[in-house]
């Protein structure tokens, strides 16, 4: 689950690359709370903020 806070933090880290973003973020709620999102989720985040910046 990707929330607004994770998306904002990922935008700040975008220059570090997707794998580093995935390692830094933690899932706040749900059955995977406290775990890191997958690299695939990182690419989805990147796609979200790339489309928002245009």
């Amino acid at each position: 689950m990707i929330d607004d806070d994770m998306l904002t933090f990922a935008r700040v880290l975008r220059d570090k690359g997707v794998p580093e973003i995935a390692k830094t973020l933690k899932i706040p709620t749900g059955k995977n709370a406290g775990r890191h999102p997958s690299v695939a989720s990182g690419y989805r985040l990147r796609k979200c903020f790339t489309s928002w910046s245009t």
Side-chain angles (χ1 to χ4, degrees), residues 17-49:
V18 173
E20 281 299 314
I21 291 171
K23 286 183 207 175
T24 306
L25 298 176
K26 292 225 180 198
I27 299 170
T29 59
K31 72 176 188 176
N32 293 322
R35 300 176 92 188
H36 300 286
S38 67
V39 174
S41 293
Y43 280 105
R44 280 187 232 117
L45 281 169
R46 183 175 155 200
K47 184 176 179 182
C48 285
F49 60 69

